[in-house]
Amino acid sequence: MSRLTLALDIMGGDHGPHIIFPAALTALQQTPHLHFIFCGPLALMSLWLSKQQPDIQARITLSDCPQAVAMDEAPAHALRHKKNSSMRRILDLVHNNEADACVSGGNTGALLSMAYYVLKTLPGIDRPALITLVPTINNGKVYFLDLGANINSDSEVLFQYAVMGSVLAEHIANIKQPKVALLNVGSEEIKGNDQVKQTAKLLTDSKNINYIGYVEGNDIFSQKADVIVTDGFVGNIAVKSWEGLVNFVIQEVKKASQHNWLSKIVAKIAMPLFRGIYLRMKPDQYNGASLIGLRGIVVKSHGNASSEAFLYAIREAIQQVEMQVPDKIKDKIEAVLMERH
Amino acid sequence: MSRLTLALDIMGGDHGPHIIFPAALTALQQTPHLHFIFCGPLALMSLWLSKQQPDIQARITLSDCPQAVAMDEAPAHALRHKKNSSMRRILDLVHNNEADACVSGGNTGALLSMAYYVLKTLPGIDRPALITLVPTINNGKVYFLDLGANINSDSEVLFQYAVMGSVLAEHIANIKQPKVALLNVGSEEIKGNDQVKQTAKLLTDSKNINYIGYVEGNDIFSQKADVIVTDGFVGNIAVKSWEGLVNFVIQEVKKASQHNWLSKIVAKIAMPLFRGIYLRMKPDQYNGASLIGLRGIVVKSHGNASSEAFLYAIREAIQQVEMQVPDKIKDKIEAVLMERH
């Protein structure tokens, strides 16, 4: 297989190189044709690299970036003043075809702004979207978008989300004719606001999308659909509220476990089980998220991700390169637009 | 204390009289000045009433309603064709001052339409809202609205939600100067859509509301605010998605508990603990919801509510009568509108 090169933002995320280096090492061991371009401060990266085996050293290139984007930095500030940052560099490398894809665990807003600015959207796509995999009952998974890349999305943009989600479900999750649903306040046709109703019409009219209708909030985890589309305002609040709810449940379980010696023992034994569920229920943290619709592959690992979660993000980037996701989205949107005329 | 009369929709909810009669009986035993008007089919109600003690019989009036609104009936159909339904009757009784408040566990959409039509909104209030109490960490609670009474709400309507939520927090939950927050995709001032930003401006300018700014999805359960305001589209999807998530977690726990004999025992012991958390996490089911902003008090018990949850809804109605919630909302909105001029 031909060489596959990923650019990594070494300074992104709360734990930076501390979790990224081990993840990168594991990825290199698992994927023989993989190469990395590490973007970050040269001294720090050189020191780590000098301790690695020669065959590993040969598969990592270092790109010195004196700047870093802070986790709480305003996206506009980062876009204007951080042209030599590790986050900006990984995007430049993808744009210049020096890397096939990039991964960052940094400031989501800044990454969105920079990626949109540097890579631009694919033809036929107005706005990029942030997408993640949400676990469902029976070990299922559903692609959920937009997580907040855009907070104002008209029906045309929501329709494009459906196309993009459909491509990921088909080519990454290997689902034939993935079922696409719109998130709404009811399942009847008359329900919802104008934006949702207009999108439903566009989706119903398209033979290229397997549109199954509306789903409600309680259907998200029920495996009714393979792709669920909503605007970034709703998507962002929903996903963050799940994180809040899971944290709350964990706290309640801890509190309940203090009642007596029996509940203490039960809680002690039950807790690892919870942590597993807990991790799965913070989908963007566990699975990372992808920025799709751009002329390039950008995978976002959660800022607070573990080394394991960062490795997951690297694997996701590899899969998207191998499945040529941007080309597939371009083809699908072209087919859909052709069909309309 | 003077007589307090509640009209009950005997046919509302999945379980109807089966759970409503026992709840009403308990409420009468607990509240000496309480009287009920039962609205439903006369034969069924008479049979039950004939078996009660004379002092109970004296405190219940029966109002024969040959029609019932189905749980899946279209609101417009119910509004037009169910003028002799138990749901319509309880609202008519409140409108005619024959009852101080009413409680129904029936079809939410139909109840909303009928209540809006029969009772009308208070002066200064454009739209009614559906509000519930959501549990938070440290045994806290937050008033959360709108749950979906309106799916298109401009900044003026969201502002009115803040006023109404504030009144409930102050007079029902006894919180002095309740902290009011707007649900948004970020906590910084520049975040959000126009609707949210304009509402923030209205709230910041008002001295009558203790506005604390934006909260994100993960803050809902963290006790940062006493009242959280969002539009009905987001609110409906959020609350329903929590129900879906809690169902999913329960399923995962059940599945994990099948691994081996130890996990089976742990799950068996841990399950009651979960059910308690589970019930609390279905806030509208546990706490019911109130339809506020109307010229009358309407409490909505969950369709699938237990007798205990229906009793909770009755108590909520009693509290709102005693605290004269509609008058308090009217006074507060007047003060706010005065302040603007």
Side-chain angles (χ1 to χ4, degrees), chain A residues 25 51 79 101 158 217 279 337:
Chain A
L25 205 55
K51 294 176 192 158
L79 188 59
L158 289 177
L279 269 179
L337 294 176

Side-chain angles (χ1 to χ4, degrees), chain A residues 72 74-75 109 135-139 148 151-152 183-186 190-196 216-221 230-234 236-238 240-249 251-253 255-257 262-263 266 269-270 273-274 277 280-281, chain B residues 74-75 109 135-139 148 151-152 183-186 188 190-196 216-221 230-234 236-238 240-249 251-253 255-257 262-263 266 269-270 273-274 277 280-281:
Chain A
D72 57 353
T136 66
I137 53 163
N138 303 327
N139 292 319
I151 51 163
N152 290 307
L183 191 56
N184 200 355
V185 296
I190 54 152
K191 292 275 182 136
N193 53 28
D194 291 344
Q195 173 203 31
V196 164
E216 299 184 58
N218 48 324
D219 297 323
I220 295 171
F221 305 94
T230 191
D231 73 79
F233 192 82
V234 177
N236 179 286
I237 287 173
K240 285 185 182 163
S241 78
W242 304 337
E243 189 173 322
L245 175 51
V246 172
N247 281 333
F248 171 67
V249 171
Q251 289 231 15
E252 288 290 299
V253 172
K255 209 171 62 187
S257 72
L262 181 64
S263 58
V266 170
I269 304 171
L273 187 149
F274 270 110
I277 296 167
R280 291 186 65 202
M281 287 329 306
Chain B
T136 66
I137 53 163
N138 303 328
N139 292 320
I151 52 163
N152 290 306
L183 191 57
N184 200 355
V185 295
E188 306 85 7
I190 54 151
K191 293 275 183 136
N193 53 26
D194 290 345
Q195 175 204 30
V196 164
E216 299 184 59
N218 49 324
D219 297 324
I220 295 171
F221 305 95
T230 191
D231 72 80
F233 191 81
V234 177
N236 179 285
I237 288 172
K240 285 185 183 161
S241 78
W242 305 338
E243 190 172 321
L245 176 51
V246 172
N247 280 333
F248 171 67
V249 171
Q251 289 233 16
E252 288 291 299
V253 172
K255 209 172 62 187
S257 72
L262 182 63
S263 59
V266 169
I269 305 171
L273 187 149
F274 271 109
I277 295 168
R280 290 186 65 202
M281 287 329 304

Side-chain angles (χ1 to χ4, degrees), chain B residues 68-333:
Chain B
V69 175
M71 288 308 270
D72 58 354
E73 191 166 336
H77 185 271
L79 189 59
R80 215 167 296 155
H81 304 289
K82 294 293 176 71
K83 284 173 188 155
N84 286 310
S85 63
S86 52
M87 185 184 279
R88 174 64 181 265
R89 183 71 49 83
I90 59 169
L91 296 164
D92 287 337
L93 289 168
V94 171
H95 177 66
N96 300 332
N97 294 315
E98 293 174 64
D100 297 305
C102 61
V103 181
S104 174
N107 181 329
T108 309
L111 185 65
L112 280 166
S113 302
M114 281 187 180
Y116 188 33
Y117 175 79
V118 172
L119 295 173
K120 309 282 186 296
T121 51
L122 288 163
I125 300 291
D126 293 320
R127 301 289 191 98
L130 204 54
I131 186 168
T132 193
L133 267 175
V134 174
T136 66
I137 53 163
N138 303 328
N139 292 320
K141 275 177 182 175
V142 58
Y143 277 102
F144 186 76
L145 78 164
D146 168 42
L147 303 188
N150 308 292
I151 52 163
N152 290 306
S153 316
D154 62 19
S155 56
E156 193 58 51
V157 168
L158 289 177
F159 176 79
Q160 292 164 15
Y161 290 172
V163 170
M164 296 193 285
S166 216
V167 167
L168 256 73
E170 187 178 342
H171 297 286
I172 301 291
N174 276 315
I175 300 164
K176 294 259 170 285
Q177 297 199 293
K179 289 177 281 180
V180 177
L182 275 175
L183 191 57
N184 200 355
V185 295
S187 51
E188 306 85 7
E189 221 173 290
I190 54 151
K191 293 275 183 136
N193 53 26
D194 290 345
Q195 175 204 30
V196 164
K197 284 182 194 168
Q198 282 164 15
T199 312
K201 194 174 171 336
L202 292 174
L203 288 168
T204 307
D205 289 350
S206 175
K207 285 188 185 112
N208 278 283
I209 304 284
N210 179 16
Y211 175 61
I212 60 160
Y214 297 140
V215 291
E216 299 184 59
N218 49 324
D219 297 324
I220 295 171
F221 305 95
S222 72
Q223 224 189 12
K224 279 196 181 168
D226 302 308
V227 179
I228 294 179
V229 172
T230 191
D231 72 80
F233 191 81
V234 177
N236 179 285
I237 288 172
V239 168
K240 285 185 183 161
S241 78
W242 305 338
E243 190 172 321
L245 176 51
V246 172
N247 280 333
F248 171 67
V249 171
I250 292 279
Q251 289 233 16
E252 288 291 299
V253 172
K254 277 189 186 156
K255 209 172 62 187
S257 72
Q258 299 306 315
H259 282 322
N260 55 44
W261 66 267
L262 182 63
S263 59
K264 273 184 196 169
I265 294 171
V266 169
K268 192 118 195 155
I269 305 171
M271 211 40 103
L273 187 149
F274 271 109
R275 285 203 201 285
I277 295 168
Y278 175 58
L279 269 179
R280 290 186 65 202
M281 287 329 304
K282 294 173 117 176
D284 62 329
Q285 179 153 353
Y286 190 60
N287 293 324
S290 296
L291 195 50
I292 54 168
L294 295 167
R295 296 168 195 246
I297 296 165
V298 183
V299 175
K300 168 76 180 68
S301 167
H302 196 280
N304 194 23
S306 61
S307 200
E308 194 193 349
F310 199 89
L311 178 60
Y312 189 98
I314 291 173
R315 285 214 199 99
E316 176 67 30
I318 294 171
Q319 267 199 295
Q320 289 193 27
V321 173
E322 285 174 347
M323 297 313 297
Q324 301 176 295
V325 165
D327 285 346
K328 294 280 179 6
I329 290 175
K330 192 169 143 272
D331 293 349
K332 185 103 177 171
I333 201 85

Side-chain angles (χ1 to χ4, degrees), chain A residues 90-102 111-112 114-129 164 290-299 320-321 324-331 333-334 337:
Chain A
I90 57 168
L91 297 164
D92 287 336
L93 289 168
V94 171
H95 177 64
N96 300 333
N97 294 316
E98 292 174 63
D100 298 303
C102 62
L111 185 65
L112 280 167
M114 280 188 180
Y116 188 32
Y117 175 79
V118 171
L119 295 173
K120 309 284 185 295
T121 51
L122 288 163
I125 300 289
D126 294 319
R127 301 291 191 96
M164 298 194 285
S290 296
L291 197 49
I292 54 167
L294 296 168
R295 297 167 195 246
I297 296 165
V298 184
V299 175
Q320 290 192 26
V321 173
Q324 303 176 293
V325 166
D327 285 345
K328 294 279 179 6
I329 290 175
K330 193 168 141 274
D331 294 348
I333 201 88
E334 263 171 24
L337 294 176

Side-chain angles (χ1 to χ4, degrees), chain A residues 118-333:
Chain A
V118 171
L119 295 173
K120 309 284 185 295
T121 51
L122 288 163
I125 300 289
D126 294 319
R127 301 291 191 96
L130 205 53
I131 187 167
T132 194
L133 267 176
V134 174
T136 66
I137 53 163
N138 303 327
N139 292 319
K141 274 176 182 176
V142 57
Y143 277 102
F144 187 76
L145 79 165
D146 169 43
L147 305 186
N150 309 292
I151 51 163
N152 290 307
S153 317
D154 61 21
S155 56
E156 194 57 51
V157 168
L158 289 177
F159 177 78
Q160 292 165 14
Y161 291 172
V163 171
M164 298 194 285
S166 216
V167 168
L168 257 74
E170 188 178 342
H171 298 285
I172 301 291
N174 277 314
I175 299 164
K176 294 260 170 283
Q177 297 199 293
K179 289 176 282 181
V180 177
L182 276 174
L183 191 56
N184 200 355
V185 296
S187 52
E188 306 86 4
E189 221 173 289
I190 54 152
K191 292 275 182 136
N193 53 28
D194 291 344
Q195 173 203 31
V196 164
K197 284 182 196 170
Q198 283 163 16
T199 312
K201 194 177 172 328
L202 293 175
L203 289 168
T204 307
D205 289 349
S206 175
K207 285 187 186 113
N208 278 284
I209 304 285
N210 179 16
Y211 175 61
I212 61 160
Y214 297 140
V215 291
E216 299 184 58
N218 48 324
D219 297 323
I220 295 171
F221 305 94
S222 72
Q223 223 187 11
K224 279 195 183 171
D226 302 308
V227 179
I228 295 179
V229 172
T230 191
D231 73 79
F233 192 82
V234 177
N236 179 286
I237 287 173
V239 169
K240 285 185 182 163
S241 78
W242 304 337
E243 189 173 322
L245 175 51
V246 172
N247 281 333
F248 171 67
V249 171
I250 292 280
Q251 289 231 15
E252 288 290 299
V253 172
K254 277 189 187 155
K255 209 171 62 187
S257 72
Q258 299 306 314
H259 282 323
N260 55 44
W261 65 268
L262 181 64
S263 58
K264 274 184 196 169
I265 293 171
V266 170
K268 192 115 193 156
I269 304 171
M271 210 42 101
L273 187 149
F274 270 110
R275 285 201 202 286
I277 296 167
Y278 176 57
L279 269 179
R280 291 186 65 202
M281 287 329 306
K282 292 173 118 177
D284 61 330
Q285 177 152 355
Y286 190 60
N287 293 324
S290 296
L291 197 49
I292 54 167
L294 296 168
R295 297 167 195 246
I297 296 165
V298 184
V299 175
K300 167 77 182 66
S301 166
H302 195 280
N304 193 25
S306 62
S307 199
E308 195 193 349
F310 199 89
L311 177 60
Y312 189 97
I314 290 172
R315 285 214 199 98
E316 175 68 30
I318 293 171
Q319 268 199 293
Q320 290 192 26
V321 173
E322 286 175 346
M323 298 313 298
Q324 303 176 293
V325 166
D327 285 345
K328 294 279 179 6
I329 290 175
K330 193 168 141 274
D331 294 348
K332 184 103 178 172
I333 201 88

